Amino acid sequence: SESSELFYSLMPSSSPSAAAGKQKQQQKTKNNKARSSSSLSSSSSVIDKIVYTIRQHPPTHNGVSRTAISKYIKAELEYDNANALKRALKKGVQDEILIQTGQSFKVKGDPDDIKLPPDETVQIIDIVIPKAGKGDANAAAATAKVGDTVIMKYQGKLDNEDGDVFDSSNKFDFVLGAGEVIKGWDQGIVGMQVGGKRVLVVPPKLGYGKRGALPEIPPNATLHFTVTLKKIVDC
């Protein structure tokens, strides 16, 4: 098949010091949650409300989901304008105030020391990294970021003895980070340069999971993709 294959079918410590640390962290979280919306003025912009909301949630690698942001703002800040919220989230990403991963958001520059477990991390092996032209500082290849429409060439293989090819395409386009493809692609293609080539080793959690995508992809399959970024579309 061509491009359609990539779309979704789809013990705490008991020591006194540890207990004290946990209690301190719980109190800190409680204090943060106790901050009322009065810290936001009546004239605060929608993006201010979004930033405030994200920071009231426990930190995670990907951030806070669109749904959770909407629910919090409606319940806690008494603001209910879905269209304005949607526009503000999009503009926040464009203005580099927010970072979007799939349908989740976090504030750029906020601490992020959360390490993903191996089964939620794509292994990236760069094969070709484009270089700037000689004597031209502006000749560096464009770099793919969340929100870009990218055009890819790829081949997907199973992680088995024969390395069976289950899918390939010479021209496949999608919006990076928008959840249009498997999570392994949204994670593994960010930062690629036009003309660059990578191997992505995608664990099942970031691919097709426990169900697979039969008959080509069995359950719990680790996938190997060789991908080339051909172009970033100017929108």
Side-chain angles (χ1 to χ4, degrees):
S1 61
E2 277 288 322
S3 62
S4 60
E5 284 294 336
L6 282 176
F7 283 81
Y8 282 114
S9 3
L10 319 166
M11 202 175 294
S13 171
S14 58
S15 68
S17 59
K22 184 176 181 181
Q23 184 177 9
K24 183 177 181 181
Q25 180 60 39
Q26 289 175 336
Q27 184 61 45
K28 182 178 179 181
T29 302
K30 184 177 180 180
N31 290 340
N32 286 339
K33 293 288 184 181
R35 284 192 294 167
S36 70
S37 59
S38 60
S39 62
L40 294 173
S41 69
S42 58
S43 60
S44 293
S45 66
V46 182
I47 191 64
D48 288 336
K49 291 179 172 65
I50 291 170
V51 169
Y52 176 87
T53 296
I54 291 172
R55 288 174 172 167
Q56 302 315 298
H57 288 73
T60 62
H61 181 78
N62 289 337
V64 183
S65 72
R66 185 187 297 269
T67 300
I69 292 171
S70 178
K71 286 182 177 179
Y72 186 96
I73 289 179
K74 183 176 180 180
E76 302 295 332
L77 305 183
E78 299 180 349
Y79 181 83
D80 186 15
N81 188 327
N83 289 331
L85 184 60
K86 183 178 180 180
R87 290 193 299 269
L89 285 168
K90 182 177 181 180
K91 191 172 189 306
V93 173
Q94 292 173 341
D95 292 346
E96 298 187 349
I97 297 170
L98 304 176
I99 297 174
Q100 181 178 3
T101 304
Q103 294 301 309
S104 296
F105 301 82
K106 58 185 177 182
V107 181
K108 184 174 183 179
D110 278 5
D112 181 14
D113 55 1
I114 299 170
K115 293 184 178 179
L116 289 175
D119 63 349
E120 294 182 22
T121 305
V122 175
Q123 181 183 352
I124 298 173
I125 304 168
D126 282 304
I127 299 174
V128 177
I129 302 176
K131 297 181 179 179
K134 294 182 179 180
D136 185 356
N138 297 318
T143 302
K145 60 184 182 299
V146 170
D148 285 339
T149 297
V150 294
I151 298 178
M152 310 295 300
K153 175 183 177 181
Y154 73 89
Q155 182 183 73
K157 294 183 178 181
L158 297 177
D159 187 29
N160 58 17
E161 185 176 345
D162 296 327
D164 296 325
V165 176
F166 63 85
D167 194 19
S168 63
S169 177
N170 285 320
K171 185 179 181 182
F172 172 71
D173 63 273
F174 70 100
V175 178
L176 187 56
E180 295 182 355
V181 292
I182 58 173
K183 293 179 181 178
W185 271 49
D186 273 341
Q187 186 182 125
I189 290 174
V190 170
M192 282 192 75
Q193 293 179 300
V194 172
K197 186 176 183 180
R198 281 180 176 176
V199 171
L200 306 178
V201 182
V202 179
K205 276 190 176 182
L206 302 182
Y208 293 91
K210 295 180 180 179
R211 293 187 177 183
L214 298 173
E216 290 86 1
I217 302 174
N220 295 311
T222 295
L223 308 175
H224 292 242
F225 290 96
T226 300
V227 298
T228 300
L229 177 54
K230 299 178 72 174
K231 185 178 180 181
I232 297 175
V233 181
D234 294 326
C235 299

